[in-house]
C-alpha cells in the first residue's frame, strides 16, 4: 500500500497510478513483439498486474463505474499520446479532439463522484 493512501484522496492516487501502469503495459505490448522478447514481456506482465491490483485497491473506496472509466480513460489518453510521440501515429485534429473529449470525461467523472 502507498503510505498515506487512505480515504478518497488516497484512492484517487492509487487510481492514477493504476492508469499509469495501464499506459505502461499497453505501450509495452508493442515492445514484446508478440510476447517473443523476454524482458519486455516480463515488464509488460508486471505492469498489467500492478495496474489491476491498484485498480482493485482504489475500487474499495471509489464507485466501480467511476474507477473503471477513469482507469480506462487515463490508459487510453496516455497510450494514444505516447503512440503519437513514440511510434509516429497520426496526430490529426480530429484524433486530438477525441483525446481531449476523453480527458474532459475523466475530469468530469472525478468531480461528479464527490
Amino acid at each position: 500500500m502507498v503510505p498515506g493512501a487512505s480515504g478518497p484522496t488516497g484512492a484517487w492516487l492509487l487510481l492514477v497510478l493504476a492508469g499509469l501502469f495501464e499506459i505502461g503495459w499497453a505501450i509495452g505490448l508493442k515492445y514484446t513483439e508478440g510476447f517473443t522478447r523476454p524482458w519486455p514481456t516480463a515488464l509488460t506482465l508486471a505492469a498489467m498486474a500492478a495496474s489491476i491490483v491498484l485498480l482493485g485497491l482504489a475500487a474499495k473506496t471509489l464507485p466501480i463505474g467511476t474507477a473503471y472509466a477513469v482507469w480506462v480513460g487515463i490508459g487510453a489518453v496516455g497510450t494514444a499520446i505516447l503512440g503519437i510521440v513514440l511510434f509516429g501515429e497520426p496526430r490529426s485534429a480530429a484524433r486530438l479532439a477525441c483525446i481531449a473529449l476523453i480527458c474532459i470525461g475523466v475530469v468530469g467523472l472525478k468531480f461528479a463522484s464527490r
Side-chain angles (χ1 to χ4, degrees):
M1 190 69 150
V2 176
S6 61
T9 301
W12 281 102
L13 173 63
L14 292 174
L15 186 57
V16 169
L17 288 172
L20 294 174
F21 276 108
E22 185 186 6
I23 295 166
W25 72 254
I27 293 297
L29 287 172
K30 189 80 163 172
Y31 293 103
T32 68
E33 295 180 13
F35 298 102
T36 61
R37 298 179 64 213
W39 283 110
T41 296
L43 293 172
T44 298
L45 293 174
M48 285 178 177
S51 182
I52 292 293
V53 167
L54 291 168
L55 173 61
L57 292 172
K60 287 171 58 176
T61 302
L62 302 173
I64 190 62
T66 299
Y68 182 75
V70 170
W71 178 70
V72 168
I74 291 169
V77 168
T79 303
I81 290 170
L82 284 177
I84 290 167
V85 172
L86 296 175
F87 307 121
E89 294 177 1
R91 60 177 83 204
S92 67
R95 190 162 191 231
L96 295 175
C98 290
I99 291 170
L101 287 172
I102 296 170
C103 290
I104 291 167
V106 167
V107 171
L109 284 170
K110 162 69 171 112
F111 288 113
S113 72
R114 289 186 177 179

